[in-house]
Amino acid sequence: MEEKQKQGSKAGEALDAVPFSSPSARSRSPAIVPTSRDCKYYVIKGRKKAVIFNHYTFDNEEPCLMERHGTQQDVEAITTTFKSLNWEVDLHTDLPTLEIRRTI
C-alpha cells in the first residue's frame, strides 16, 4: 500500500488501480492520465482503443464452463458504446489462454 501512495498524483493519495503491463512493457513507466482521482470525467487524449475478449465457448477442460448465451448482445452493446465515443474497438472471440496473453 505504501508504494501505491507514493505513486499517487498528490502526496498520500493512493492510485485507484495499478496498471497492468506485459513482461516486455514492465520496463516502461505507466501512462500518465491528466485527471485527478475525484474528477467526474476522465481526460483521455490521443489514440483510444478498447480490447474486447468475448468468450462464448470454452475448451472442455472444465465441464462446468458451458456456452455463454447472450455474449453477442454484450459485444454489440460494448462495441456501440465505445465506437460512439470514437474509440477503436479490437474484438477477440473464444481465444485460448496463450492467445489472450499474446494479445495483451
Side-chain angles (χ1 to χ4, degrees), residues 44-49 86:
I44 302 175
K45 296 181 180 181
R47 181 178 178 206
K48 298 172 282 288
K49 182 176 187 176
N86 296 317

Side-chain angles (χ1 to χ4, degrees), residues 16-81:
D16 288 338
V18 177
F20 171 81
S21 62
S22 65
S24 62
R26 288 193 180 125
S27 62
R28 297 183 301 214
S29 298
I32 302 300
V33 179
T35 306
S36 71
R37 181 178 181 167
D38 296 321
C39 281
K40 188 173 181 179
Y41 303 100
Y42 283 101
V43 176
I44 302 175
K45 296 181 180 181
R47 181 178 178 206
K48 298 172 282 288
K49 182 176 187 176
V51 180
I52 302 170
F53 294 96
N54 178 32
H55 299 282
Y56 176 75
T57 58
F58 298 88
D59 58 20
N60 289 326
E61 292 178 15
E62 293 291 332
C64 63
L65 297 175
M66 308 297 285
E67 289 182 346
R68 297 180 63 240
H69 300 284
T71 63
Q72 188 55 40
Q73 289 84 0
D74 294 340
V75 166
E76 290 170 10
I78 294 167
T79 299
T80 299
T81 299

